[in-house]
Structure formats: C-alpha cells, structure tokens
Amino acid sequence: MKYISTRGDKTERRFCEILLEGLAPDGGLYLPVAYPQVDGATLARWRGLAYADLAFEILSLYIDDIPAADLQALVRKTYTAEVFGSEAIVPVRRLGDSGLMIEALSNGPTLAFKDMAMQLLGNLFEYELARRGEQLNILGATSGDTGSAAEYAMRGKHGVRVFMLSPHGRMSPFQQAQMFSLQDANIHNLAVEGVFDDAQDIVKAVSNDLAFKRQYKIGTVNSINWARLLAQVVYYFAGYFQATKDNSEQVSFCVPSGNFGNVCAGHVARQMGLPVKHLVVATNENDVLDEFFRTGTYRVRGSADTYETSSPSMDISKASNFERFVYDLVGRDGARTKALFGEAIAREGAFTVTPAEFTAIGRYGFQSGRSTHADRLATIRSTFDRFGDLIDTHTADGVKVAAERVEAGVPMIVLETALPAKFAETIVEATGRQPGRPAKLEGIEALPKRFTVVPASVDVIKAFVAEHCQD
C-alpha cells in the first residue's frame, strides 16, 4: 500500500515513512492511493473476531512494511481487557427504545476515545524507532483529550519525547490535571496563550518548516497523522458487528466532531465497503462543520469568534482532517484541494464548493446538526432520567443530534468520546450529582503540576523544542 498527499504531490510513500512524518512535504495530508475494498464474504469472516484480531485484519490492508507477525503482536499488546476494561474493548449499549446505541470508546487510561488510537501509536512509534535506531520529537496540539491520551501512550517510551501545546485555561480542571500532573522527563506541556486553533496553527507551521522538522526529527500525533486515523477505522467495523445480526443490514453513526478526525475514520470505513447509511456530524456552538454540510461553505473562524463551551474538546474552528474528505469530494484533485485549503483559506478565510460538489456530498452519506449548552444539559439530564445512563458533554452533543436523525430500522450508533468524570462541573449542573471516576484518578486535580505558559509564537515553540530535544 502506497500513500500520496492531498495537495498534489504524487510521490508514493509507504506506511512507516508517513508514520514518523505527519504532514506531507507540500503541506497536505496523506491518504492511501486507493481504499482497500471489503466484500460480504470478508465481513462475514471478520464478524465475531476479537477486537485485536479485527484490528490486525484491517491494519494489514494498509500496512505492508511491518512483518505480519510483528504487527499482530503490536495490536495484541495494545488492545487488552486490562487496558480497556472489557474483552469487547468497545462495547455497544442500547439507550432503551430510543433507536440509539452508544459505542463505549472511553474506557482506556485517560477516559477518552483518543486512547483507542494513541495506545497503538505509542507502540508503533517505539517499534519503528527501535528498528531504525532513531529518536522522535512529537509536537502536538490538544483541545483537551488528545494531549493526555498522547502523553499517557508515550510516557516512558524509548526514543520518544512529547511537546504538547494546549490553550491556556481553556480545558476542564480534570483535563488539565491529567496532562500537567505527569512528571515524566520525556513529557513537556506548553500552555499557549490563545485558543486551540492557535496551537494547531503552530504545529502546522513547524511541520511545514522542512529544514527544522528534519534537523530536530519532528513528528506528530494529532489526527493529521494517518496512522492515528487508521487505528480509528477499526471501531466502526466493531460497532457495526455488535449492532447488526448479518451483513445485509445498514447502520448510521453520529460522531461529536471538532477536528473531523473521528468521523473521517468513519468515512474511510464507508469507502472500504462497510454498510454505513449515514455519518452524522454533531458540532457544538463552534459549528464550522455543520455550516459546511448545510451550505457548502467552509468558513474558518478567528480566535475571537471561537466560543469557549462546556464541550471544550470540540472548541475548534479549523478542522484539520476535513481536507481528507474534501480531497475525495473533489475527485482526488490535488490542485483543487490545494487551491481551497492553501490559497482560498489564506486569502479569504473560507471557500465554497461548486453546486455539483455540494450535491455530491449526499453520495458520501454525510448529515450534520448542532448542539448548545442548553441542549447539552437537557440531553444529559433526560438520558440519565430515562435510561439511567450518564454521558459526558461531548457525547451529549452526539445524542442530541442523533435523536433528530434516527430512522426506523437503521440502528444509530453514537460514538462516546469521553467519560462524565472529565466534565464534572457540567454533569453536576445537569443532574445535581457528581460523576464517578476510577479510584486511581481520585484527587488528581490536587497533584503537583508541571507546565510552561508560552505566547502563541512559532519562534518561541521552535526555541523550546530545540533547547529540550536532547533532554
């Protein structure tokens, strides 16, 4: 399997090359030259497989430069009941007679769905760096969950250092404590004076400085890294198998979305042949994606227009992974994709697809909706009162939008993105009760914290990385 850039560079690269690289040299994102296709016979063979074995089957279609025995060992090391809390790894549960199901993706070490990919990524990085005898400095940006998932996956890993940028003061106390309480020498937390998009822009700017990137061996764990998105494809298949009895049935997925990585993995699964009827994008008040799917206009918002909400991991107005879908939407035309994301965004801060392209969105199964703080509170409260199921704020955005789109005879699976303990303040506001948390995380907010506040400056971040990359 070979990979090319969304912005027109046709140089074909193999998986382990792009695993350590992040963005393509031309600023684009990597995608496979073609999506592998699975048929009914393959789905029948995969149904009933343990999660790690299913992951091996899917990843094997995309990774041919890691020996099969090694890849199988890596996924079996990653996806265990000890790490993820159950043999199913991603158990699906019904919300009574609502027609909705929730796929539990948040039972890993940091109580967020990012663990599903990040735990594998940590093992892949360590494996490949050992094969090469190299080191890697990971530069990432987080709005809350990616950072802690990356740091917990990479802490103590040989040959890996993490430099994680987060918006100063804009994460929940629990999220801050998860990241900033880590004392591992290979973990560096940088609190950027700005919003998530400022941090994400810095990561992209550093990644686009090829000389700096190569000199300091910069990699990324954000969802712009294809390996992370690929790992997420697996749980769409796992959810489908749990929600259906045979492969003649369709399902829909509703995905709380900010950076478009999670739902982009669903797009890949659907392109491979998974019987998905709709992929429903649920946004919060930062509704840049909902606006696109309603109007065909993708309009980036500035820091001043990016709202601070009670589902903070979705407080994003530049959806990095969106470029992968648009590349498919415009017929895999790299020049057109570059014109939209490279030139139109830089010039006007927005672009509008053609009427024909807008019509074509329907062929990919996408729908969308929006949720507000008031919706969040009402959904958390009603879901608990009706079904005894306590959900977090982001999952509540998904449940609210999914309920508006559910169809008779088509299971609607909402992807759970985090556990309620991470957003206790809003859970108490909605229900009057404190959410439970694992015993090992009791009192985490009181632990000593180690982080550095920095301005939203590319040069400052470069200097910090250069100073600490040999620690």
Side-chain angles (χ1 to χ4, degrees), residues 181-251:
S181 64
L182 293 180
Q183 304 297 320
D184 303 74
N186 70 326
I187 303 296
H188 300 276
N189 279 301
L190 304 176
V192 175
E193 295 174 321
V195 299
F196 168 77
D197 293 307
D198 297 318
Q200 183 168 254
D201 286 346
I202 291 171
V203 171
K204 286 186 173 181
V206 175
S207 295
N208 282 324
D209 184 339
L210 296 184
F212 185 89
K213 180 179 177 180
R214 288 167 181 160
Q215 179 180 356
Y216 293 102
K217 302 186 184 306
I218 303 296
T220 180
V221 292
N222 278 60
S223 50
I224 57 177
N225 187 310
W226 166 255
R228 188 179 135 189
L229 190 146
L230 174 59
Q232 294 174 275
V233 172
V234 178
Y235 55 68
Y236 282 88
F237 283 84
Y240 173 81
F241 290 138
Q242 292 179 70
T244 61
K245 293 177 179 164
D246 62 61
N247 303 322
S248 65
E249 299 179 65
Q250 286 187 309
V251 301

Side-chain angles (χ1 to χ4, degrees), residues 30-42:
Y30 285 114
L31 276 175
V33 172
Y35 297 114
Q37 298 300 295
V38 296
D39 56 18
T42 303

